[in-house]
Amino acid sequence: MSTVKWRPEPNAITTLSSCKARHIPNDTLGYDELAKAVAKRNALWSAGLVKSVLEETREKIKEQLINGNKINLEHFFTAVISLTVRLESPDSPMPPDSEVIKLLLTATKNLLDDVRAEAQLERIQPENKV
């Protein structure tokens, strides 16, 4: 079983000296790698089929968010548009869309609990910068 690696790093924003824990990814997976992993577990599905389903799912989620909908995939994640803007009054004009639209993707409690229950942390030595 693989572990979740982390290392302590100085926290520059605290007044008294402190450290934060920085996650060090073992690998980065994209559509191809994730599709291969899913296909490996499911003999009837090819990696190409899985990749196309993942890509189409992304497009449909994007489409629904653009249409103002909230996505709630049970046991997985919730995605919703967030508007980050400060208006001086109710009649104040809205800044350009590109400046205020943010996306919030939040893991469900089920997914978070599953990861917490099964993940094991491994501390690695801090980097010594020259």
Side-chain angles (χ1 to χ4, degrees):
M1 179 179 198
S2 189
T3 59
V4 177
K5 293 179 177 67
W6 69 277
R7 80 165 51 107
E9 289 187 355
N11 189 349
I13 64 170
T14 57
T15 306
L16 296 175
S17 180
S18 69
C19 291
K20 59 185 173 185
R22 167 86 59 192
H23 169 243
I24 309 300
N26 293 322
D27 201 357
T28 301
L29 294 121
Y31 285 105
D32 291 325
E33 297 83 7
L34 190 57
K36 287 176 189 172
V38 171
K40 188 175 180 180
R41 272 185 72 161
N42 298 280
L44 299 177
W45 302 345
S46 70
L49 172 66
V50 175
K51 181 180 177 184
S52 65
V53 170
L54 289 171
E55 290 172 339
E56 186 61 24
T57 301
R58 179 205 178 274
E59 287 302 309
K60 290 303 171 191
I61 289 172
K62 178 183 80 172
E63 189 177 290
Q64 293 304 315
L65 290 168
I66 289 168
N67 289 330
N69 296 319
K70 176 181 175 179
I71 305 295
N72 184 16
L73 298 181
E74 191 176 354
H75 308 298
F76 193 22
F77 72 89
T78 300
V80 65
I81 285 181
S82 169
L83 304 175
T84 55
V85 62
R86 181 177 184 272
L87 301 174
E88 298 299 323
S89 72
D91 298 331
S92 296
M94 183 71 104
D97 297 350
S98 62
E99 293 179 18
V100 299
I101 294 176
K102 304 286 188 251
L103 285 180
L104 296 177
L105 281 89
T106 307
T108 61
K109 184 176 180 330
N110 300 77
L111 178 60
L112 182 57
D113 289 346
D114 289 348
V115 170
R116 285 178 172 165
E118 296 181 36
Q120 294 181 7
L121 297 176
E122 177 187 349
R123 182 184 191 138
I124 58 177
Q125 292 302 312
E127 284 185 339
N128 291 326
K129 295 185 179 180
V130 178

